[in-house]
Amino acid sequence: MRYRIAASLAPLGLAATLALAHGDGDGDLPFGRPGKASEATRTIAVSMTDAMRFEPAEIRARAGETVRIVVANTGKLRHEFVLGTMEELREHAEMMRKSPGMQHHEPKMASVAPGGKATIVWRFTKAGTFHYACLEPGHLEAGMVGTVVVR
């Protein structure tokens, strides 16, 4: 009986370990953390199109800056705006292919219906090059990806 309980709890321990290892120990992801709307210094408008493109394809920010990103879906298909490292985005895109219709409820993600808008407030805490992508099945592979350059 003890073995069964320990075995059933093991995945929970692994999940907790992975969650803690995801950031750098201070609550940040490699590309920052959710920001407070009251601290946003500017708004960046991003369009998502059925041509599988983001406009603009590149966002620039300063390390420590909090920005409001307003994403508008100008197409007839559902699109997403997901911040991350390219490795994370590719892994998540693979999960999306296996579970189509998955909805996201994280501050770094927005799933937007045709004609809709969503807002992400993000604080870029570290310099580097990061990405945003649409993880609807096939969209990343079709080139629906953008770059965030943080200096």
Side-chain angles (χ1 to χ4, degrees), residues 50-63:
D50 287 348
M52 303 301 157
R53 296 292 180 263
F54 288 102
E55 297 169 7
E58 181 178 278
I59 294 174
R60 292 187 172 268
R62 292 179 315 279

Side-chain angles (χ1 to χ4, degrees), residues 104-119:
H104 297 112
H105 303 288
E106 291 184 44
K108 66 178 184 169
M109 306 174 172
S111 181
V112 186
K117 287 185 178 183
T119 301

Side-chain angles (χ1 to χ4, degrees), residues 88-99 102 135 140-141:
E88 287 176 326
L89 294 170
R90 285 187 178 124
E91 287 174 10
H92 197 142
E94 181 63 29
M95 280 190 339
M96 291 288 290
R97 276 191 293 282
K98 293 176 181 176
S99 300
M102 181 189 311
L135 302 183
L140 172 71
E141 297 79 2

Side-chain angles (χ1 to χ4, degrees), residues 31-95:
F31 48 91
R33 71 178 109 185
K36 295 179 184 174
S38 62
E39 295 176 359
T41 58
R42 62 190 170 111
T43 299
I44 300 168
V46 178
S47 294
M48 302 181 288
T49 72
D50 287 348
M52 303 301 157
R53 296 292 180 263
F54 288 102
E55 297 169 7
E58 181 178 278
I59 294 174
R60 292 187 172 268
R62 292 179 315 279
E65 182 179 21
T66 300
V67 298
R68 179 181 298 104
I69 303 168
V70 178
V71 291
N73 183 347
T74 61
K76 295 182 180 184
L77 303 171
R78 175 170 291 281
H79 291 295
E80 295 183 328
F81 181 96
V82 182
L83 287 166
T85 64
M86 189 51 77
E87 181 180 347
E88 287 176 326
L89 294 170
R90 285 187 178 124
E91 287 174 10
H92 197 142
E94 181 63 29
M95 280 190 339

